Amino acid sequence: MRAPSLYKRVRGRADLFRLILEDVADELTAALDAAVGSGDPVKDLRAMVAVYRRFAFSNPVTYTLLMAPQAGPDATARSVRSSATLLRVVAEVAGPVDALPAARTIVAWTHGFISMELAGAFRLGGNVEQAWDFGLDRVLAAVSAAREGHGE
């Protein structure tokens, strides 16, 4: 398809960008939702984070676009839709009071690690997979401890 005929179907570059992001977000959301179901919320979180990481490596450009600042109600609606399963599973681990900050912590650590991997920023040697496991273990332990801190 050529650009002139493409723009007969969309209103412009911003509309095309929005449609691409919606499609990518839907694809990622479906993959994350499919990763859940073991009956163990910590195991489900590990599976979701692994899916997220694989998705980023399979789609580095669209992953970067998905994580870029976006304005407008579409970005908010997309975030709510794509975060629903994560928030539900995190609430089982951290408790409902800490679900949102715990989910943000998991996503921030995961995105930071993945961003460094995609940029080739781990240059000091060592085993990056071991570092990934080490960090994920610590983040999930901290999230799990949140529930215990509230006496739940």
Side-chain angles (χ1 to χ4, degrees):
M1 183 177 284
R2 294 176 189 217
S5 60
L6 175 65
Y7 285 113
K8 290 178 184 176
R9 292 171 175 76
V10 296
R11 290 184 293 265
R13 185 176 186 270
D15 193 37
L16 178 61
F17 186 70
R18 179 188 57 78
L19 290 170
I20 291 168
L21 287 177
E22 283 180 10
D23 189 53
V24 170
D26 289 347
E27 182 182 339
L28 177 57
T29 299
L32 291 170
D33 290 349
V36 174
S38 74
D40 177 347
V42 174
K43 187 175 181 179
D44 286 346
L45 281 175
R46 285 183 181 284
M48 291 177 78
V49 169
V51 163
Y52 191 82
R53 188 178 183 208
R54 279 192 305 274
F55 180 88
F57 275 89
S58 296
N59 307 280
V61 174
T62 51
Y63 172 78
T64 302
L65 290 174
L66 193 59
M67 297 306 288
Q70 301 160 30
D74 291 336
T76 301
R78 198 169 33 253
S79 292
V80 169
R81 192 172 63 246
S82 64
S83 300
T85 300
L86 176 65
L87 285 168
R88 181 180 54 76
V89 175
V90 170
E92 292 178 46
V93 176
V97 172
D98 292 317
L100 182 57
R104 286 178 172 156
T105 299
I106 292 167
V107 171
W109 178 83
T110 302
H111 173 65
F113 198 101
I114 290 168
S115 295
M116 289 183 72
E117 282 186 293
L118 289 173
F122 291 121
R123 297 183 185 116
L124 298 179
N127 186 315
V128 174
E129 287 302 315
Q130 286 177 340
W132 170 266
D133 291 339
F134 178 89
L136 183 57
D137 288 347
R138 297 326 178 267
V139 169
L140 294 180
V143 167
S144 296
R147 183 175 210 122
E148 296 164 12
H150 288 288
E152 294 180 41

